[in-house]
Amino acid sequence: MSTTSPPLSSLLPPLICGTATFNSQYNPDPYALPTTAIVHRALSEGVRAFDTSPYYGPAEELLGQALDTPFVHDKFPRRDYYLLTKVGRVGGSQFDYSASWVRTSIQRSLKRLKTEYLDVVYCHDVEFVTPEEVLTAVTELRRIRDENGTVKYVGISGYPVVVLCELAEMILEKTGEPLDIVMSYANFTLQNTRLSSLALPRLRAAGVDVVPNASVLGMGLLRRGGVPVGSLGDWHPSPNELRSAVEDASRYCDDLGDRIEKVAIRWALETWVHEGAIMGSMGDRASRLSRKSTNVEDDKESKHGISVIGVSNLEELDETIQVWRSILDGLGNGEQTGVETDGKASGRAWSLNRQKEVRERAAGIKELIGSWLDYAWPSPGPEYVNKKSQHLAFPAPLPTPAVSPKQAATRSSSDDGVEANSRI
């Protein structure tokens, strides 16, 4: 079984900044967002990886503009950060996994991101096309990797974990080479942990190196105000009975003086650091997790599960970084992490107390969700038809897996008195 060298798990950091929020689904005018300031602050705070997609409207262009600045050129050489993007999804119901379109999409992403190479390229939302189409796209991406190096690592992304496992197994069987990375979303949350219970064993057996977790709020399901309803109307695929159970869980958190968003975000990030470690990253100093070893083979103790979190403004980013550092404070080497992060270890006691509190409240939430635990909605829906012949410059947005913690907590209500910088 051939594998890519060096392993992707020896390179990626455990926290990735998602840019699906640089899109009109979550923000009426993405061009009005402080995207350059967000990217610059993220880099300054230790974030070293950015996830995007041509499907996320202008996200690739906005990210590329932010990176193509004197600030980044002077302080952060291209080799010091990682860019992850996608191919195949053209529009809401439009997919094209053909070799010709893969090549076109890669060239477009290189131009938009103003880079000479892409660290990771996923086949986007693979459940919407046939296995044969996925194999075609993966084969073409690997050809590009081998011929000119503009693609470094190849993977797939999507929602149904069983489909992701079947495709990873098929690709290994057909090509003799495992996928470098498989990303799912909304499958490691307080409501649904199928990514860990079902997918990780099969993906590891299929030779996959890295499995990031995205959309820790289940595409906005786990929010006090209910699922997001924007310009697309009520697009969320969750059934009303599940939504009702989440409303009960939200009221439970309210009674405790907490918010379901805060518990859900911290629980998922904190738990995935451990649960996802077997297919996680070695970490890096910039993200406040120092490398302990250069040997990644079965080195679970040196690895940490990778999470993707998106933000829409600097306030959200600052809160995300604060939460992430608090989570690191609670690790086994948290006292040393605190010293490396801000010169002191005073936050460790608070972090450990919050860790215990979140675990207790998470247990209460799960009890109220009840029989809906580990429920997964169908993707694609029964009425889906692929209209792959149409290619749009900026496709109409559909649900994406990177809604930010602060946005999720405030979008439903702007006057509920929650402090902007309250800890999660």
Side-chain angles (χ1 to χ4, degrees):
M1 179 173 65
S2 61
T3 57
T4 311
S5 181
L8 185 58
S9 56
S10 70
L11 303 175
L12 277 184
L15 185 66
I16 298 175
C17 180
T19 65
T21 46
F22 298 1
N23 192 355
S24 57
Q25 182 189 2
Y26 294 112
N27 294 283
D29 183 5
Y31 293 99
L33 298 177
T35 51
T36 295
I38 289 171
V39 172
H40 290 182
R41 179 76 66 82
L43 287 166
S44 298
E45 293 291 346
V47 176
R48 290 294 182 272
F50 299 89
D51 177 89
T52 189
S53 172
Y55 175 60
Y56 301 158
E60 280 189 326
E61 286 189 327
L62 293 170
L63 177 57
Q65 291 168 10
L67 294 170
D68 188 28
T69 55
F71 175 81
V72 176
H73 293 320
D74 293 344
K75 295 180 179 293
F76 305 99
R78 176 64 181 87
R79 65 178 179 273
D80 287 351
Y81 60 87
Y82 301 92
L83 296 178
L84 301 82
T85 192
K86 305 174 183 73
V87 298
R89 186 154 202 174
V90 180
S93 297
Q94 298 155 341
F95 291 79
D96 192 339
Y97 274 53
S98 67
S100 61
W101 180 250
V102 166
R103 291 192 298 271
T104 298
S105 186
I106 292 298
Q107 290 303 312
R108 184 179 62 175
S109 292
L110 291 168
K111 182 177 180 180
R112 289 175 171 178
L113 292 167
K114 303 181 188 300
T115 183
E116 294 181 354
Y117 64 93
L118 303 165
D119 295 285
V120 171
V121 177
Y122 296 103
C123 297
H124 198 172
D125 289 341
V126 289
E127 70 266 29
F128 287 83
V129 299
T130 66
E132 291 75 19
E133 289 173 292
V134 176
L135 182 60
T136 295
V138 168
T139 301
E140 186 59 29
L141 287 170
R142 289 174 173 172
R143 180 179 293 114
I144 295 170
R145 175 198 66 189
D146 296 339
E147 289 180 353
N148 59 39
T150 53
V151 172
K152 301 299 183 183
Y153 296 88
V154 177
I156 61 175
S157 71
Y159 176 67
V161 296
V162 172
V163 173
L164 294 174
C165 292
E166 290 173 347
L167 289 171
E169 292 161 353
M170 180 271 292
I171 289 167
L172 176 61
E173 179 183 358
K174 296 286 187 181
T175 69
E177 179 182 349
L179 292 166
D180 299 304
I181 185 168
V182 173
M183 181 173 71
S184 186
Y185 61 93
N187 275 303
F188 193 81
T189 71
L190 274 176
Q191 179 266 322
N192 177 5
T193 58
R194 292 161 64 90
L195 184 60
S196 175
S197 61
L198 295 182
L200 285 187
R202 289 181 65 178
L203 292 174
R204 191 176 186 219
V208 177
D209 186 27
V210 174
V211 178
N213 178 45
S215 192
V216 298
L217 294 181
M219 297 196 299
L221 171 67
L222 300 171
R223 308 185 323 149
R224 172 191 279 175
V227 300
V229 178
S231 60
L232 297 176
D234 185 353
W235 48 260
H236 201 283
S238 57
N240 290 333
E241 294 84 356
L242 173 55
R243 298 184 189 194
S244 178
V246 171
E247 289 176 5
D248 292 341
S250 180
R251 286 190 290 270
Y252 160 79
C253 292
D254 290 345
D255 291 342
L256 294 172
D258 214 328
R259 292 183 66 113
I260 190 171
E261 296 94 329
K262 295 189 176 197
V263 177
I265 291 166
R266 185 171 186 121
W267 180 89
L269 291 177
E270 197 156 37
T271 308
W272 189 249
V273 162
H274 303 283
E275 292 280 331
I278 195 70
M279 304 186 74
S281 85
M282 297 291 289
D284 63 357
R285 293 187 182 278
S287 62
R288 279 41 179 202
L289 283 172
S290 301
R291 296 179 185 273
K292 298 179 182 177
S293 168
T294 56
N295 177 23
V296 300
E297 184 67 26
D298 295 324
D299 194 7
K300 180 176 178 179
E301 294 304 317
S302 297
K303 295 162 74 175
H304 302 82
I306 300 173
S307 294
V308 182
I309 291 288
V311 300
S312 297
N313 56 56
L314 292 173
E315 184 181 60
E316 293 173 14
L317 176 62
D318 290 342
E319 184 168 348
T320 298
I321 296 299
Q322 180 188 40
V323 171
W324 179 246
R325 290 180 179 174
S326 177
I327 289 170
L328 300 186
D329 286 343
L331 295 178
N333 63 339
E335 185 172 351
Q336 178 61 31
T337 300
V339 173
E340 293 176 356
T341 300
D342 56 16
K344 56 186 179 181
S346 59
R348 178 164 168 77
W350 185 93
S351 298
L352 290 173
N353 287 334
R354 180 58 172 164
Q355 181 185 84
K356 179 181 178 182
E357 186 177 67
V358 164
R359 288 175 178 172
E360 291 172 350
R361 293 175 183 178
I365 291 171
K366 290 185 176 185
E367 183 175 350
L368 289 167
I369 291 176
S371 62
W372 291 100
L373 287 174
D374 279 352
Y375 168 81
W377 44 77
S379 178
E383 298 181 0
Y384 162 75
V385 176
N386 185 2
K387 304 175 183 177
K388 68 179 181 179
S389 61
Q390 304 178 38
H391 293 285
L392 305 178
F394 294 109
L398 277 185
T400 48
V403 63
S404 65
K406 185 65 177 179
Q407 182 180 20
T410 60
R411 181 160 292 233
S412 61
S413 174
S414 60
D415 59 353
D416 55 13
V418 177
E419 292 183 6
N421 294 317
S422 57
R423 285 177 164 178
I424 294 178

